[in-house]
Amino acid sequence: MHATEHRNFIAGEWVAGVRTHPNVNPSDTRDVVGEYALADAAQARTAIEAAHAAFPKWSVATPQQRADALDFIGSEILARKAELGDLLAREEGKTLPEGVGEATRAGHIFKFFAGEALRTGGELLPSVRPGVSVEITREPLGVVSIITPWNFPIAIPAWKIAPALAYGNCVVFKPAELVPGCAWAIAEIASRSGLPPGALNLVMGRGSQIGDTLVGDPRVAGVSFTGSVATGHRIAQSCVTRKEGGMAKFQLEMGGKNPLVVLDDADLATAVTCAVQGAFYSTGQRCTASSRLIVTERIHDRFVEALVAKTRSLVIDDARKAGTDIGPVVDERQLEQDLEYLAIARQEGATLAAGGERVERGAPGFYLTPAVLTHATNAMRSSREEIFGPVASVIRARDYDEALALANDSPMGLSSGVVTTSLKAAAHFKRNAQAGMVMVNLPTAGVDYHVPFGGRKASSFGPREQGRYAAEFYTTVKTAYVGA
Ligand code: NAP
């Protein structure tokens, strides 16, 4: 294979795309990570065909075979976490520690699901009829299309591919066009893991060109998607209106507009750390980012002062440079979107208290200083729509009750946090926050890999991802009645 041409992986072979596409480093746009294949719809269909052909074999592979393949992938990712973390930082713009952390998490996820492959059980119940027993088992869906966003280029593919394979499905995996490097690395490792040809296929290509095929082909039984609300809705529509093959099962993880509530009794240092970590780390490009900081009256001014000081002290630079706190925005389009929302927020009456400026560093890149908007209200567009950048709005609340109401007043419901020293307030918030995940004295972003992940309202649709709950999506239940 050509040193810098990274091909698609279909039916166990490396296949050239119809074109290639340069993978560019957002910290230094002169640095091209490599050339990556772009598939067309015909190639996507070939990948689906390969997965379909592999299913009869992989679906009856022993739990040991599945566990061994996943354990191989997880072990190699962990052994190469420094290199893969560096690749991630280079293609996406997360800092090196964040990149290595994400690669480590991906390795752990594969190893977790290696264990789960051995633990897939069923239930045996007595029937209500004499002489009959009832067996409840889980079977794989078939071919699953996995479509992922650019902001977690190795962890999100891992948390979809690993359970899909663990439960016996065959996969067609399409990463976001901006980050093919980590996706290709996963496929390359998987190609040596003992998986049969066709069990995992990689098709790098534009969503606008191959997305409809990956979702609409009648041989695709399930679609697991993470990305924007708009693309998620489009996928949902295709899954339910398919002319052939019945509806596809689908799972959508979409945007967030996550609140971090800071109460009067909060420890100020904890509140500022949670806010800065949650809002700005990973350049704010996390679906769980704390984009709304809802702060009660008596701590408001002290919190804003400390937040602004801390934000101004952050080092914004090349993602792979030692000492960098915040890397670049992923690309020009996202940077323009961030600046546009900052302009809208100011037109709507918010004050830019810190950051929000495009800055130059040693190399051409997409650098934006993290922005704190004060005097924001929950009705502003910047408080309701996902910006997906290092931008946090501080919204003042009278008291706990108003803060909780504001936190819940959002079309989204992914993650919700509270900073407080009151057990009573924490317990009430945990119970009443309208979100899939609730954080107490922790940033809204940053989750474990062995427990369920997902949201409510416009943020998510379908069963939860990760942990044992992943079986809900990647398997279908069979109920068998057995007479004497
Ligand atoms: P996006 O534009 O929706 O893209 C996501 C994926 O969908 C990409 O692989 C994209 O391919 C593909 N796609 C685009 N059009 C498609 C179509 N018509 N059919 C099928 N697939 C299509 O989202 P993004 O900008 O990459 O990611 C940012 C979004 O992801 C944010 O809204 C963020 O909140 C969300 N996110 C959510 C979670 C969560 O778990 N809730 C986690 C992370 C990110 P191309 O790259 O080729 O366009």
CSV table of all heavy atoms in Angstrom, one decimal, residues 63 116-125 134-139 167 468 471 475-480:
chain,number,residue,atom,x,y,z
A,63,PRO,N,-18.4,-17.4,21.7
A,63,PRO,CA,-18.1,-16.3,22.5
A,63,PRO,C,-16.6,-16.1,22.7
A,63,PRO,O,-16.1,-15.0,22.8
A,63,PRO,CB,-18.8,-16.6,23.9
A,63,PRO,CG,-19.9,-17.5,23.5
A,63,PRO,CD,-19.4,-18.3,22.3
A,116,GLU,N,-18.0,-8.9,27.9
A,116,GLU,CA,-19.4,-9.0,27.7
A,116,GLU,C,-19.8,-10.1,26.7
A,116,GLU,O,-20.8,-10.8,26.8
A,116,GLU,CB,-20.0,-7.7,27.2
A,116,GLU,CG,-20.1,-6.6,28.3
A,116,GLU,CD,-20.9,-7.1,29.5
A,116,GLU,OE1,-22.1,-7.2,29.4
A,116,GLU,OE2,-20.3,-7.3,30.5
A,117,ALA,N,-18.9,-10.3,25.7
A,117,ALA,CA,-19.2,-11.4,24.7
A,117,ALA,C,-19.3,-12.8,25.4
A,117,ALA,O,-20.0,-13.6,24.9
A,117,ALA,CB,-18.0,-11.5,23.7
A,118,LEU,N,-18.6,-12.9,26.5
A,118,LEU,CA,-18.7,-14.2,27.2
A,118,LEU,C,-19.8,-14.2,28.2
A,118,LEU,O,-20.1,-15.3,28.7
A,118,LEU,CB,-17.4,-14.3,28.0
A,118,LEU,CG,-16.1,-14.5,27.2
A,118,LEU,CD1,-14.9,-14.3,28.1
A,118,LEU,CD2,-16.0,-15.8,26.5
A,119,ARG,N,-20.5,-13.1,28.4
A,119,ARG,CA,-21.5,-13.1,29.4
A,119,ARG,C,-22.9,-12.9,28.9
A,119,ARG,O,-23.9,-12.7,29.6
A,119,ARG,CB,-21.3,-11.9,30.4
A,119,ARG,CG,-20.2,-12.1,31.4
A,119,ARG,CD,-20.2,-11.0,32.4
A,119,ARG,NE,-19.5,-9.8,31.9
A,119,ARG,CZ,-18.2,-9.6,32.0
A,119,ARG,NH1,-17.5,-10.5,32.6
A,119,ARG,NH2,-17.7,-8.5,31.5
A,120,THR,N,-23.1,-13.1,27.5
A,120,THR,CA,-24.4,-13.0,26.9
A,120,THR,C,-25.2,-14.2,27.3
A,120,THR,O,-25.0,-15.3,26.8
A,120,THR,CB,-24.3,-12.9,25.4
A,120,THR,OG1,-23.3,-11.9,25.1
A,120,THR,CG2,-25.6,-12.4,24.8
A,121,GLY,N,-26.2,-14.0,28.2
A,121,GLY,CA,-27.0,-15.1,28.6
A,121,GLY,C,-28.4,-15.0,28.2
A,121,GLY,O,-28.8,-14.1,27.4
A,122,GLY,N,-29.3,-15.7,28.8
A,122,GLY,CA,-30.7,-15.6,28.5
A,122,GLY,C,-31.5,-15.9,29.8
A,122,GLY,O,-30.9,-15.9,30.9
A,123,GLU,N,-32.8,-16.1,29.6
A,123,GLU,CA,-33.6,-16.5,30.8
A,123,GLU,C,-34.4,-17.7,30.5
A,123,GLU,O,-34.8,-17.9,29.4
A,123,GLU,CB,-34.6,-15.3,31.1
A,123,GLU,CG,-34.0,-14.1,31.7
A,123,GLU,CD,-35.1,-13.1,32.0
A,123,GLU,OE1,-35.8,-13.2,33.0
A,123,GLU,OE2,-35.4,-12.2,31.1
A,124,LEU,N,-34.6,-18.5,31.5
A,124,LEU,CA,-35.5,-19.7,31.4
A,124,LEU,C,-36.6,-19.5,32.4
A,124,LEU,O,-36.3,-19.4,33.6
A,124,LEU,CB,-34.7,-20.9,31.6
A,124,LEU,CG,-35.4,-22.3,31.5
A,124,LEU,CD1,-35.8,-22.5,30.0
A,124,LEU,CD2,-34.4,-23.4,31.8
A,125,LEU,N,-37.8,-19.4,31.9
A,125,LEU,CA,-39.0,-19.2,32.8
A,125,LEU,C,-40.0,-20.3,32.7
A,125,LEU,O,-40.2,-20.9,31.6
A,125,LEU,CB,-39.7,-17.9,32.5
A,125,LEU,CG,-38.9,-16.6,32.7
A,125,LEU,CD1,-39.8,-15.4,32.2
A,125,LEU,CD2,-38.5,-16.4,34.1
A,134,VAL,N,-40.3,-21.5,28.9
A,134,VAL,CA,-40.1,-20.4,28.0
A,134,VAL,C,-38.6,-20.0,28.1
A,134,VAL,O,-38.1,-19.8,29.2
A,134,VAL,CB,-41.0,-19.2,28.5
A,134,VAL,CG1,-40.8,-18.0,27.5
A,134,VAL,CG2,-42.4,-19.6,28.6
A,135,GLU,N,-38.0,-19.9,26.9
A,135,GLU,CA,-36.6,-19.4,26.9
A,135,GLU,C,-36.6,-18.1,26.2
A,135,GLU,O,-37.1,-17.8,25.2
A,135,GLU,CB,-35.8,-20.4,26.0
A,135,GLU,CG,-35.6,-21.8,26.6
A,135,GLU,CD,-35.0,-22.7,25.5
A,135,GLU,OE1,-34.5,-22.3,24.4
A,135,GLU,OE2,-35.0,-23.9,25.8
A,136,ILE,N,-35.8,-17.2,26.9
A,136,ILE,CA,-35.7,-15.8,26.3
A,136,ILE,C,-34.2,-15.6,26.0
A,136,ILE,O,-33.4,-15.7,26.9
A,136,ILE,CB,-36.2,-14.7,27.3
A,136,ILE,CG1,-37.6,-15.0,27.6
A,136,ILE,CG2,-36.0,-13.3,26.7
A,136,ILE,CD1,-38.1,-14.3,28.9
A,137,THR,N,-33.9,-15.4,24.7
A,137,THR,CA,-32.5,-15.3,24.3
A,137,THR,C,-32.3,-14.0,23.5
A,137,THR,O,-33.3,-13.4,23.0
A,137,THR,CB,-32.0,-16.5,23.5
A,137,THR,OG1,-33.0,-16.7,22.4
A,137,THR,CG2,-31.9,-17.7,24.3
A,138,ARG,N,-31.1,-13.6,23.4
A,138,ARG,CA,-30.7,-12.4,22.6
A,138,ARG,C,-30.0,-12.9,21.3
A,138,ARG,O,-29.0,-13.6,21.4
A,138,ARG,CB,-29.9,-11.4,23.4
A,138,ARG,CG,-30.7,-10.7,24.4
A,138,ARG,CD,-29.9,-9.7,25.1
A,138,ARG,NE,-30.7,-9.0,26.1
A,138,ARG,CZ,-31.4,-7.9,25.8
A,138,ARG,NH1,-31.4,-7.4,24.5
A,138,ARG,NH2,-32.2,-7.3,26.7
A,139,GLU,N,-30.3,-12.3,20.2
A,139,GLU,CA,-29.6,-12.6,18.9
A,139,GLU,C,-29.1,-11.3,18.3
A,139,GLU,O,-29.8,-10.3,18.5
A,139,GLU,CB,-30.6,-13.4,18.0
A,139,GLU,CG,-31.0,-14.7,18.5
A,139,GLU,CD,-31.9,-15.5,17.6
A,139,GLU,OE1,-32.2,-15.0,16.5
A,139,GLU,OE2,-32.3,-16.6,17.9
A,167,TYR,N,-21.8,-8.8,20.2
A,167,TYR,CA,-23.1,-9.6,20.2
A,167,TYR,C,-23.3,-10.2,18.8
A,167,TYR,O,-24.4,-10.7,18.6
A,167,TYR,CB,-24.2,-8.6,20.5
A,167,TYR,CG,-24.1,-8.0,21.9
A,167,TYR,CD1,-23.9,-6.6,22.1
A,167,TYR,CD2,-24.0,-8.8,23.0
A,167,TYR,CE1,-23.7,-6.1,23.4
A,167,TYR,CE2,-23.9,-8.3,24.3
A,167,TYR,CZ,-23.7,-6.9,24.5
A,167,TYR,OH,-23.5,-6.4,25.7
A,468,ARG,N,-23.4,-2.5,29.9
A,468,ARG,CA,-24.2,-3.7,29.5
A,468,ARG,C,-25.5,-3.2,28.8
A,468,ARG,O,-26.1,-4.0,28.1
A,468,ARG,CB,-24.6,-4.4,30.8
A,468,ARG,CG,-23.4,-4.9,31.6
A,468,ARG,CD,-23.8,-5.8,32.7
A,468,ARG,NE,-24.4,-7.0,32.2
A,468,ARG,CZ,-24.9,-8.0,33.0
A,468,ARG,NH1,-24.9,-7.8,34.3
A,468,ARG,NH2,-25.4,-9.1,32.5
A,471,ALA,N,-26.4,-3.8,24.9
A,471,ALA,CA,-27.1,-5.0,24.4
A,471,ALA,C,-28.5,-4.7,23.9
A,471,ALA,O,-29.0,-5.3,23.0
A,471,ALA,CB,-27.1,-6.1,25.4
A,475,THR,N,-28.9,-6.2,20.0
A,475,THR,CA,-29.5,-7.5,20.0
A,475,THR,C,-31.0,-7.4,19.8
A,475,THR,O,-31.6,-6.3,20.1
A,475,THR,CB,-29.2,-8.3,21.3
A,475,THR,OG1,-29.8,-7.6,22.4
A,475,THR,CG2,-27.7,-8.5,21.5
A,476,THR,N,-31.6,-8.5,19.3
A,476,THR,CA,-33.0,-8.5,19.3
A,476,THR,C,-33.4,-9.8,20.1
A,476,THR,O,-32.7,-10.8,20.2
A,476,THR,CB,-33.5,-8.6,17.9
A,476,THR,OG1,-35.0,-8.7,17.9
A,476,THR,CG2,-33.0,-9.8,17.1
A,477,VAL,N,-34.5,-9.6,20.8
A,477,VAL,CA,-34.9,-10.7,21.8
A,477,VAL,C,-35.8,-11.7,21.1
A,477,VAL,O,-36.7,-11.4,20.3
A,477,VAL,CB,-35.7,-10.0,23.0
A,477,VAL,CG1,-36.3,-11.0,23.9
A,477,VAL,CG2,-34.7,-9.1,23.8
A,478,LYS,N,-35.5,-13.0,21.4
A,478,LYS,CA,-36.3,-14.1,21.0
A,478,LYS,C,-37.0,-14.8,22.1
A,478,LYS,O,-36.3,-15.1,23.1
A,478,LYS,CB,-35.5,-15.1,20.1
A,478,LYS,CG,-36.3,-16.2,19.6
A,478,LYS,CD,-35.5,-17.1,18.7
A,478,LYS,CE,-35.4,-16.5,17.3
A,478,LYS,NZ,-34.5,-17.3,16.4
A,479,THR,N,-38.2,-15.1,22.0
A,479,THR,CA,-38.9,-15.8,23.1
A,479,THR,C,-39.3,-17.2,22.5
A,479,THR,O,-40.1,-17.2,21.5
A,479,THR,CB,-40.2,-15.1,23.5
A,479,THR,OG1,-39.8,-13.7,23.8
A,479,THR,CG2,-40.8,-15.7,24.8
A,480,ALA,N,-38.8,-18.3,23.0
A,480,ALA,CA,-39.1,-19.6,22.5
A,480,ALA,C,-39.9,-20.4,23.5
A,480,ALA,O,-39.6,-20.4,24.7
A,480,ALA,CB,-37.8,-20.3,22.2
